[in-house]
Amino acid sequence: MAVLTAGAVLRVVAMAGYRPALWFNDGYDYVQIALDPFPHPIRPAGYGFFLWLLRPFHDFGAVVAAQHLLGLATGLLVYLLLTRRGLPPGWAALAASPVLLDGGIIQLESLVLSDTLFLFLVVAALTALLWPGRHPALPVAAGALLAAATVTRTIGLPVLLLVLAWLLLRRKWRAVAMAAVAGLLPLAAYAGWFHSENGRYGITATDGVFLWGRTAAFVHCENIPEHLRYLCPSGEPEERKASSSQVWAAESPIGWDFGEAFDPRINADAQRFAVRALLEQPFDYAQTVAYDLFVRTFRWERDDHPTAVTARKYLFPEQADDLPAWPVLGGGTPSDVLTAYDPQVDPDTGTEIVEPYAGFMRLYQEVFTVRGPVLAAALLLPAFLWYRRRSPSPAVLPWAAGAALLAVPPLTVDFDYRYALTATPVVALAAGYAFLRTRDDELPVISPLVPRSRQPS
């Protein structure tokens, strides 16, 4: 309870220091979706629906408050699951502390961005699957939650597939069927809605360009067929911008511009380009991914990847930047979109910084954050315990989910610190779960609200 209370107090201080919210470039698209929901060709619309539900408040402060509550709820789910499974409350609180107390997580919750909602949905789905008991609604809930996570961030799809594979390996045939129906039918419906507006089935129309960006960091264009060479990035590989920056750069051969979707033909050609680059240069691809995954993810200090501007967006700022003037897809500028949602928002910066609360949160984030080596230790701990016990049960599922959240972005798009930050609470859950000594089917049902001396043996 002390950790939960401390987390709540920190979030109140953050809201007092940064009013009503902090901004990231993706956020303007999500707000545009909330104004009049549509299947955005670049961003999954799930977070836009979340903002749409909160639109009657006409207040981004209410959005940030809701996200802080989701962060607290995520930590509480981690704690309740682990204590129900038999882990001592102190250790369960330690596993919940990354989401409750990490300064980076609290800052992420202050951004109008999809990651907080996504993290809550993933942890809620894992909690439903791992909760003691055989209630038939639990796999249905897990599938539906992961469908919602997928239309919030597409990386939710690999987690859903991991869940189905985990249930198959455990021969839970009925649970597999229920989770698959609950998870895949909503995605099929979304894909049909997306097709009605964008002319193709999918969740976004950017699969080709993002994979192209991943290969643009290392590709040698003499390996690319002549008809695709118009997509070759300029300069030698060691001189090029980061993969994700290649996609959005003004001089990029992809040809994207603010306020526009990617050209479908270019997206298709970009996918062919990327596949050819991967086939021709598998070792360069592996080296690029390995550096992002094992060096950038687990180093002590952050670097300015993918750009210094982007990296700075994940820190509580000393001063608010002016809102950009570029056009937003769907019409208007960022200022137009934000003020249409919340008429009281500052049309110049969108944020008011209030001291001393803001200064306290800047100092707090600088000191209290999960560093890369700590994340690596938490990821390796379950594997070490499995080796000692000669059995991977019972932490396989949360461990695989955490590993996927860390690995899939560098494999398919690029490394970004907020992706690692989102994975950290799931890795912490897996580390706590690994300390449970019995198999999943044998774990006792223990209530965290009943004294341990009165728990069933």
Side-chain angles (χ1 to χ4, degrees):
M1 190 59 69
V3 176
L4 183 65
T5 302
V9 170
L10 288 167
R11 285 161 172 83
V12 170
V13 175
M15 289 189 67
Y18 296 93
R19 307 174 187 176
L22 294 172
W23 307 102
F24 191 86
N25 294 349
D26 301 13
Y28 312 126
D29 288 328
Y30 292 124
V31 177
Q32 184 77 287
I33 295 169
L35 295 178
D36 186 14
F38 68 102
H40 199 286
I42 300 176
R43 318 285 177 200
Y47 182 66
F49 290 141
F50 173 76
L51 296 178
W52 175 78
L53 290 173
L54 296 173
R55 190 185 175 192
F57 292 101
H58 297 289
D59 185 2
F60 283 113
V63 172
V64 172
Q67 292 184 169
H68 285 321
L69 289 174
L70 287 178
L72 293 172
T74 302
L76 188 60
L77 286 175
V78 171
Y79 176 81
L80 291 176
L81 174 60
L82 292 175
T83 51
R84 288 282 289 186
R85 285 303 199 178
L87 197 67
W91 288 107
L94 180 62
S97 61
V99 67
L100 292 175
L101 301 180
D102 188 292
I105 292 283
I106 297 171
Q107 195 274 344
L108 199 60
E109 294 170 11
S110 302
L111 287 161
V112 177
L113 205 57
S114 61
D115 299 77
T116 297
L117 175 63
F118 172 80
L119 175 60
F120 170 78
L121 292 169
V122 169
V123 171
L126 294 175
T127 301
L129 285 168
L130 299 171
W131 196 259
R134 298 287 188 276
H135 198 287
L138 293 177
V140 173
L145 287 164
L146 289 173
T150 301
V151 298
T152 301
R153 272 186 57 197
T154 54
I155 195 177
L157 182 59
V159 180
L160 174 59
L161 297 178
L162 280 173
V163 163
L164 297 179
W166 181 74
L167 291 171
L168 279 171
L169 290 172
R170 290 162 56 84
R171 299 182 181 180
K172 305 291 185 181
W173 312 120
R174 185 180 178 187
V176 171
M178 291 188 295
V181 170
L184 297 178
L185 276 184
L187 296 183
Y190 187 96
W193 182 49
F194 189 88
H195 177 270
S196 69
E197 294 286 337
N198 297 291
R200 57 166 288 182
Y201 293 99
I203 297 173
T204 68
T206 56
D207 49 349
V209 294
F210 282 125
L211 190 61
W212 171 88
R214 176 75 291 188
T215 62
F218 62 81
V219 65
H220 294 290
C221 285
E222 60 268 21
N223 300 320
I224 302 299
E226 186 69 32
H227 70 284
L228 296 175
R229 288 188 185 177
Y230 76 97
L231 292 175
C232 288
S234 61
E236 296 300 317
E238 60 273 10
E239 301 170 349
R240 293 174 189 162
K241 296 179 178 180
S243 292
S244 54
S245 298
Q246 292 278 348
V247 173
W248 308 110
E251 69 277 12
S252 172
I254 289 295
W256 172 82
D257 199 5
F258 290 105
E260 298 181 5
F262 290 98
D263 184 282
R265 181 186 66 83
I266 290 181
N267 183 68
D269 279 354
Q271 189 169 61
R272 299 185 189 98
F273 180 104
V275 170
R276 185 58 179 264
L278 293 174
L279 292 174
E280 293 289 340
Q281 297 176 248
F283 296 108
D284 291 328
Y285 168 68
Q287 184 180 18
T288 301
V289 170
Y291 186 85
D292 283 351
L293 183 56
F294 297 110
V295 178
R296 287 198 166 98
T297 302
F298 301 125
R299 74 192 333 165
W300 181 264
E301 295 289 348
R302 296 181 175 186
D303 62 8
D304 289 336
H305 188 89
T307 68
V309 172
T310 301
R312 187 164 55 86
K313 292 288 187 182
Y314 306 139
L315 301 173
F316 284 111
E318 293 186 15
Q319 62 183 24
D321 296 328
D322 289 339
L323 292 174
W326 60 59
V328 178
L329 196 154
T333 66
S335 180
D336 297 331
V337 170
L338 299 190
T339 54
Y341 188 97
D342 179 358
Q344 301 180 57
V345 75
D346 186 325
D348 295 321
T349 65
T351 304
E352 178 188 4
I353 298 179
V354 181
E355 303 293 352
Y357 311 107
F360 175 83
M361 291 310 301
R362 289 194 297 271
L363 179 61
Y364 181 87
Q365 184 182 10
E366 187 176 330
V367 177
F368 293 95
T369 188
V370 176
R371 301 286 182 172
V374 178
L375 177 60
L379 189 65
L380 291 173
L381 179 62
F384 173 74
L385 294 175
W386 298 338
Y387 173 76
R388 292 288 301 273
R389 297 171 188 167
R390 300 293 190 268
S391 172
S393 182
V396 169
L397 179 60
W399 184 88
L405 293 177
L406 287 172
V408 172
L411 283 166
T412 58
V413 182
D414 196 0
F415 172 83
D416 194 294
Y417 282 103
R418 69 183 168 101
Y419 300 153
L421 195 61
T422 306
T424 299
V426 181
V427 173
L429 169 63
Y433 215 85
F435 279 100
L436 301 173
R437 291 185 170 274
T438 51
R439 290 189 299 112
D440 223 21
D441 295 339
E442 299 171 346
L443 292 170
V445 177
I446 297 180
S447 172
L449 305 180
V450 178
R452 292 186 63 80
S453 59
R454 298 175 61 183
Q455 301 283 1
S457 59

